[in-house]
Amino acid sequence: MAVAIITGASKGLGLALAEGLAGRGWDLVLDARTAAPLEEAVRGLSRHGTRVAGFAGDVTDAGHRAELVAAARRLGGVDLLVHNASALGAEPLVELAELPLAGLRRALEVNAVAALGLVQQALVALRVSEAGAVVVVSSDAAAEAYPAWGGYGASKAAVDQLAAVLGVEEPGLRVWAVDPGDMATDLYAAAVPGDDGPRPAPDAVVPAFLRLLDERPPSGRYAAPALLEA
């Protein structure tokens, strides 16, 4: 049975991806910061009949990342690593003139440094998988200049570049940075309070991620809306 590690998986896109994979029979190792919603997610996902393990912790903690990889190995290995955990840097978002440097450091640590750290710890297992793949969740803010999104966008641009280089250095793997597009998530609500305009639910973009797994295109950066339209 294929095994996936998904960070930030107690709600939003992470949980939607976990649902999509569990529905296909994947075993899962899930991470989230808060134990109660993670436990609820594990209970719900277990109804698919697959093995689901949840570990509450901080992805910037090397010991926590090692715990995730060890759990996946107990289930059989690591076939897919999804780094979905994200930090904004400031809630609500602020312009760069006001961005706390501690917030920028936190965004970089969660969104980029932890992603690489988790890949490093899982790399041996990913290399021996017949279909090893890494997904980092990006953002259009990584490529476009939006006021107040500078710190978050910089952190996502950093993880995009890490993913691009990893894809070159590890030709036996697939490494995809995926911009999911606008979604109705708690992260967006925290970023821009009061902006309640219509946005797709996270589960609406899951088929784009599943398409990557099915078709295994070359490593690179992909936009979920384009994958859904093609």
Side-chain angles (χ1 to χ4, degrees):
M1 196 68 69
V3 181
I5 298 172
I6 306 176
T7 65
S10 65
K11 59 185 177 180
L13 179 59
L15 179 56
L17 287 172
E19 286 278 3
L21 292 174
R24 290 184 163 204
W26 283 66
D27 293 328
L28 303 171
V29 175
L30 309 180
D31 147 271
R33 286 293 305 274
T34 308
L38 180 60
E39 291 167 0
E40 181 178 351
V42 168
R43 286 193 297 271
L45 290 163
S46 296
R47 74 181 188 278
H48 291 284
T50 61
R51 296 174 294 177
V52 184
F55 296 88
D58 189 330
V59 290
T60 67
D61 179 354
H64 176 61
R65 297 194 300 266
E67 184 178 38
L68 299 175
V69 175
R73 286 181 174 276
R74 289 193 295 271
L75 293 177
V78 183
D79 301 288
L80 172 64
L81 170 57
V82 180
H83 187 69
N84 169 69
S86 292
L88 290 167
E91 298 182 12
L93 295 177
V94 295
E95 294 188 355
L96 291 177
E98 302 172 15
L99 179 64
L101 295 185
L104 175 59
R105 292 188 188 98
R106 176 66 181 171
L108 289 166
E109 284 285 342
V110 173
N111 302 349
V113 177
L116 179 58
L118 189 53
V119 166
Q120 289 174 338
Q121 289 173 304
L123 197 51
V124 170
L126 284 164
R127 284 170 174 162
V128 299
S129 169
E130 292 183 0
V134 174
V135 172
V136 297
V137 177
S138 184
S139 168
D140 56 347
E144 302 292 340
Y146 301 131
W149 288 86
Y152 179 78
S155 68
K156 291 297 187 177
V159 79
D160 279 2
Q161 180 65 2
L162 291 174
V165 173
L166 183 67
V168 173
E169 294 176 343
E170 298 290 336
L173 302 179
R174 290 293 187 270
V175 184
W176 302 303
V178 183
D179 169 12
D182 280 350
M183 296 180 295
T185 63
D186 288 351
L187 187 77
Y188 187 85
V192 191
D195 183 355
D196 55 359
R199 287 178 177 79
D203 57 6
V205 304
V206 169
F209 289 82
L210 297 180
R211 181 178 178 184
L212 290 174
L213 295 175
D214 290 340
E215 300 180 7
R216 291 183 64 81
S219 296
R221 191 178 193 277
Y222 293 84
L227 290 169
L228 294 171
E229 292 170 2

